[in-house]
Amino acid sequence: MKKVEIHPEAVERVKKFTINDTQLGFGKYMSPIMIQALYEDGQWQRFDLLPYGPIQLDPCSKVLHYGQEIFEGMKVFRHPDESIHMFRPEMNARRFNQSARRMAMPEVPEDLFLEACEVICAYSKNLVPRRLGESLYLRPFMIATEVGMGIKPANQFLFMVVASPSGSYFSGDAVKVYIERDDIRCAPGGIGFAKTGGNYAASLNSYAKTIKLGCDQTMWLDSVEHQYIEEMSGMNFFAIIDGKVVTPALTDTILDGVTRRSIIDIAIAEKLPVEQRRLSIDEVIKGIQNETCTEAFLCGTAAVVAPVASLMDKDGSVYKLKDGQGKIGMQLREKLIAIQAGRAEAPEGWLHPVRNLDF
Ligand SMILES: Cc1ncc(COP(=O)(O)O)c(C=O)c1O
């Protein structure tokens, strides 16, 4: 396996770096180091750990015009014994490469992806927070850096990993969801399952509408019948219907969330009935009205699990969940947070320990 070259300036920077703020926020502070690797001549060149800083891009780099880019988001936790663990990073590595294939980008071999993530964590160890709910957030990403206006896959790419010590993203308030009946996020055969900027760009217009209407999150429906729930712009969706934990089955228009999978596994372990199937917005609205759908929640790496207070429709109707604080969602959330933080036993392979380096 290729090794990551450690630049002494990066080590000096991280040794001197401190954060004097108890409100870490999300993405407010960055670790002062970053991983960088160039892909050219058909292969990955050296991987470097460098001081964090701006990168130079030619104005005609293809990423700036044609959006050939992908990214990941994952968390790293400090356990009570001070050991540091990445949460299911192999799943992020696999999803990164699924995104890469769809976007005609080179894969980053899984062992190299994991090594890059582990090295930035190992050197950022003093920045991994201690309080429950806090973590070091990792953002691996890849961009097309080849210069040229031709619309074709690039042959030069930059892979980077940056890290941000982050507080709890969850305010505790239940979320108001706006049902998007007009715009679509993606279509079958498109790029919905890939973690690529275009999907997020496509969601922003509706985000602005959602906020203007006093809601917090946009709910996307399928693009063919405008009837089946897919997900939020950055989280997956669950509803509790007739006591069952129901979530839309994965398709090529839904991001395969690591938190979604973890919640399903925890629910099964807790002996809760789980269904992954097509879930129509009509079924959920009717269920809320006749109280068979008692709660709903959203899940993703950043917020973990957030209960849904209400759904708002295009005509202004608001459907309030009976249990707006989400008893089952919160029970699953507590369990997942305890596993991540090393306060409950983790299923095999969920925690990837980060080696402890002296520097
Ligand atoms: C569109 C979308 N759906 C779902 C998720 C949740 O995925 P995960 O649990 O892997 O963070 C995310 C966040 O990454 C996302 O961007």
Side-chain angles (χ1 to χ4, degrees), residues 72-91:
E72 267 305 324
M74 55 215 265
K75 279 183 173 171
V76 181
F77 298 88
R78 187 187 294 277
H79 287 188
D81 67 358
E82 291 289 307
S83 61
I84 290 171
H85 301 259
M86 300 192 276
F87 183 70
R88 306 190 86 176
E90 297 81 6
M91 298 193 78

Side-chain angles (χ1 to χ4, degrees), residues 95 185 195 200 231 233-236 255 257-259 299-301:
R95 190 170 68 186
R185 175 181 171 273
K195 210 161 162 62
Y200 300 84
E231 57 176 325
S233 303
M235 285 188 269
N236 293 111
L255 193 89
V258 176
T259 319
C299 73
T301 295

Side-chain angles (χ1 to χ4, degrees), residues 1-20:
M1 193 215 306
K2 275 199 177 67
K3 270 185 48 194
V4 178
E5 297 290 331
I6 311 298
H7 290 242
E9 318 88 85
V11 181
E12 284 315 304
R13 280 274 286 278
V14 83
K15 271 193 201 163
K16 289 193 202 125
F17 187 81
T18 51
I19 298 171
N20 296 315

